[in-house]
Amino acid sequence: MSAAKRKDSNFLVQGSILAVASMISRIIGLIYRIPMTNIIGDVGMSYYSAAYEVYNMLLLISAYSLPLAVSKLVSARVSKGQRRNAYRIVKGALIFATCSGLAAALILYFGAGFFTSSLLNTPLALFALKVLAPTVFMVAILGVIRGFFQGLGTTMPSAVSQILEQIINAVVSVAAAYLLCIYGARIGAVLGNADNYGSAYGAAGGTLGTTLGAAAAMLFLGFLFMAYLRIFRRQMRRDVTKKTESYRSIFRILLLTIIPVLLSTTIYNISAVLDQGIFKNVAELQGYEMNEIDTWWGIYSARYKTIINIPISIASSLAATCVPNLAASYAVRDKTSVRRQINVSIRFIMVIAIPCTVGIAVLAEPLLRLLHLYSGELSVNILRAGAIAIIFYSLSTLSNGLLQGISRMKAPVKNAVVALILHIGCLALFMFSFHLNIYAVVYANALFAFFMCVLNAISLRKYSGYQQEIVKTFLIPGVSSVIMGACVYGIYTGMQMLFGINTVSAIAAIVLGIIIYGILLLLLKGLSESELMGFPKGHLLVRIAKKLHLLR
């Protein structure tokens, strides 16, 4: 294998490690949200979601861009042998994270009343948001350390810390939601609003798990970071770089790197906050009861978004991994490697996102029942209607990272602004003209990601010269997924007629669907042997495929 291909293979392997960890974290998150949703109900999940949207917005501003920025800057310097400058980047980023994270935490805590009441029209989300406030500071520090390790070419520390964080989160969230829900109901009984106060305090218990999970991950990564520093300092002694970057220069570079990433990710993700604010206020003007509105939003955020975010998280993980690798190739002007990595990452994402979209749309009701997230036909219809967003969000999230990796930081910002304006226009049209209530949010959300896909694809072609391959990236996975979807529907229906047990039928249909899709993908030559090797357990998959004569 050539050096370039080994490098690209390592890039995909590291992306796979982070993607698997992210998938495991999402599955843990899905599992604990089932009992938590049942404890605090759809109204409680509306409060929980409102707090999270504001938290995510402040997190984006203060900390979200740090892992990408640090990994990119560290990777670019390590690739040139400048380990001393890489270390100074990390120290400068830690100072920045401390200041920005602390400021955001204070704003979140003291401004909680304004955000929940004035902005989102969900005043009882106040308790959950205040509990989340310290998490912003911890995640900022976590982001720098994760970016440092990813910049060195290893995603294992980030992967392990993600899983640890989510395990702590799961245990604490369910226990605290249960205990605080009871406590809140008692307070509400005195105030004459037992149900809503119980849900509100329960939502605060759910957010407590996030805070303690972040604290555990920070302690774990902090220990690894301090242990590895001894090795890194020994490597720094062999650094013969003549020019040492000043901290003034480092802060300027950090800001120049962070601000475009910050703007693009903030605009890209702020749509969730705007959606909730616009939807709840417009729906109230249209005469819907506030409890009904909160129930709809709870179904949308706790059931629909929880499921579709599992496959989308793979794109986020691969985007985080591709930035330092692309930055390293771009720094040495290896255009061939840059284009190859873009191609590999987009194909990898589509091979996963397209079948997930079809499978979730076909098995919407069985999946919701299997995961104990079913709450009537509305939850099923929302999931079916919005499943297409998986493809668009996966591709747009990844393409944001790809553009940042080739130092085109302003392109995602401009594209996100245009997509956001179009998105708000579509949401207003769907609500005012077609009266689609919660479906307006579902459709507008998918369209926002679609607009981003189109605009980012144009930018990638313009700045990298990358020509999008169609057949292996979209057509073969699409055909394989449609056939798989028909088979899965038949398998599920047949097993339900025979056994009548949803759990057995759904799991069998999912497992057989994965096998059928994999076979079709290989038969139609959608994946080569070298590409399959880049997947988790690639060697085993290749051996099985060859034994079944699916690979030559």
Side-chain angles (χ1 to χ4, degrees), residues 89-99 140-142 144-145 225 254:
I89 288 285
V90 175
K91 287 204 292 185
L94 282 171
I95 295 169
F96 179 89
T98 301
C99 297
I141 303 299
L142 269 173
V144 175
I145 302 174
F225 179 69
L254 267 173

Side-chain angles (χ1 to χ4, degrees), residues 32-41 44-45 48 128 131 168-185 195 197-210 212:
Y32 87 76
R33 280 203 179 194
I34 294 168
M36 195 174 82
T37 301
N38 291 329
I39 290 167
I40 67 177
M45 290 306 293
Y48 180 84
V131 172
I168 302 294
N169 185 1
V171 174
V172 175
S173 291
V174 175
Y178 175 75
L179 295 172
L180 288 180
C181 192
I182 295 171
Y183 178 71
D195 289 342
Y197 268 85
S199 298
Y201 273 75
T207 57
L208 181 62
T210 305
L212 295 183

Side-chain angles (χ1 to χ4, degrees), residues 56-66 68-69 96 254-271 274 400 404 408-420 448 452 456:
N56 280 332
M57 184 173 66
L58 266 291
L59 186 65
L60 289 169
I61 294 170
S62 63
Y64 188 81
S65 55
L66 283 170
L68 284 171
F96 179 89
L254 267 173
L255 286 172
L256 288 174
T257 307
I258 285 169
I259 288 172
V261 177
L262 164 66
L263 290 173
S264 64
T265 52
T266 301
I267 296 166
Y268 185 69
N269 289 277
I270 204 172
S271 62
L274 294 175
N400 273 351
Q404 289 158 7
R408 296 296 173 179
M409 317 298 281
K410 293 180 181 178
V413 179
K414 294 175 183 176
N415 296 342
V417 170
V418 174
L420 184 63
F448 171 73
M452 283 294 296
N456 282 354

Side-chain angles (χ1 to χ4, degrees), residues 53 88 127 150 167 170 180 188 223 232 239 255 292 341 381 402 442 444 454:
E53 299 300 356
R88 291 173 74 84
F127 311 115
Q150 288 168 22
I167 290 171
L180 288 180
F223 173 77
F232 197 75
D239 188 342
L255 286 172
E292 186 179 22
Q341 287 182 47
N381 293 334
L402 294 173
V442 175
V454 174

Side-chain angles (χ1 to χ4, degrees), residues 141-171:
I141 303 299
L142 269 173
V144 175
I145 302 174
R146 282 172 173 162
F148 170 68
F149 282 116
Q150 288 168 22
L152 295 178
T154 176
T155 56
M156 191 60 75
S158 295
V160 174
S161 68
Q162 274 186 19
I163 296 172
L164 173 66
E165 180 180 358
Q166 198 68 321
I167 290 171
I168 302 294
N169 185 1
V171 174

Side-chain angles (χ1 to χ4, degrees), residues 74 77-78 82-91 232:
V74 167
R77 280 149 186 78
V78 168
Q82 300 176 5
R83 290 186 176 268
R84 189 176 290 109
N85 285 332
Y87 180 57
R88 291 173 74 84
I89 288 285
V90 175
K91 287 204 292 185
F232 197 75

Side-chain angles (χ1 to χ4, degrees), residues 440-471:
V441 181
V442 175
Y443 298 143
N445 197 257
L447 283 172
F448 171 73
F450 171 73
F451 297 142
M452 283 294 296
C453 286
V454 174
L455 295 169
N456 282 354
I458 294 169
S459 298
L460 272 174
R461 182 172 182 174
K462 178 181 177 181
Y463 295 121
S464 71
Y466 172 70
Q467 299 288 330
Q468 180 60 61
E469 191 276 334
I470 301 296
V471 176

Side-chain angles (χ1 to χ4, degrees), residues 195-424:
D195 289 342
N196 286 350
Y197 268 85
S199 298
Y201 273 75
T207 57
L208 181 62
T210 305
T211 301
L212 295 183
M218 187 175 71
L219 289 172
F220 170 75
L221 274 184
F223 173 77
L224 284 186
F225 179 69
M226 296 306 295
Y228 184 74
L229 270 185
R230 288 180 294 177
I231 300 170
F232 197 75
R233 284 193 179 112
R234 283 201 298 269
Q235 294 171 340
M236 284 166 55
R237 294 188 197 116
R238 298 193 294 271
D239 188 342
V240 293
T241 305
K242 293 180 180 178
K243 184 180 178 181
T244 301
E245 293 179 79
S246 67
Y247 282 110
R248 182 178 179 180
S249 170
I250 285 169
F251 281 121
R252 185 178 63 83
I253 295 168
L254 267 173
L255 286 172
L256 288 174
T257 307
I258 285 169
I259 288 172
V261 177
L262 164 66
L263 290 173
S264 64
T265 52
T266 301
I267 296 166
Y268 185 69
N269 289 277
I270 204 172
S271 62
V273 177
L274 294 175
D275 283 351
Q276 187 165 180
I278 292 169
F279 167 72
K280 287 190 173 181
N281 283 292
V282 172
E284 192 175 20
L285 285 174
Q286 291 177 333
Y288 296 107
E289 292 293 327
M290 205 59 217
N291 246 33
E292 186 179 22
I293 295 168
D294 280 329
T295 300
W296 287 343
W297 194 265
I299 291 171
Y300 170 76
S301 60
R303 303 176 194 277
Y304 166 72
K305 288 186 80 172
T306 297
I307 290 178
I308 71 162
N309 278 341
I310 295 174
I312 292 172
S313 67
I314 297 174
S316 300
S317 302
L318 195 62
T321 309
C322 77
V323 169
N325 285 278
L326 274 176
S329 297
Y330 193 78
V332 296
R333 298 185 180 183
D334 188 350
K335 293 183 179 179
T336 303
S337 179
V338 167
R339 289 172 189 154
R340 190 187 299 115
Q341 287 182 47
I342 292 172
N343 179 58
V344 167
S345 57
I346 291 176
R347 284 190 59 200
F348 180 82
I349 284 298
M350 288 300 98
V351 161
I352 295 169
I354 294 174
C356 284
T357 299
V358 174
I360 286 172
V362 170
L363 294 177
E365 184 173 343
L367 270 174
L368 287 166
R369 289 187 183 276
L370 175 68
L371 300 171
H372 300 282
L373 292 174
Y374 178 79
S375 62
E377 283 302 307
L378 179 62
S379 58
V380 176
N381 293 334
I382 286 175
L383 189 54
R384 282 179 180 155
I388 190 68
I390 294 170
I391 294 175
F392 299 145
Y393 266 104
S394 296
L395 188 53
S396 59
T397 300
L398 176 66
S399 54
N400 273 351
L402 294 173
L403 285 166
Q404 289 158 7
I406 59 172
S407 293
R408 296 296 173 179
M409 317 298 281
K410 293 180 181 178
V413 179
K414 294 175 183 176
N415 296 342
V417 170
V418 174
L420 184 63
I421 293 169
L422 294 172
H423 162 76
I424 292 171

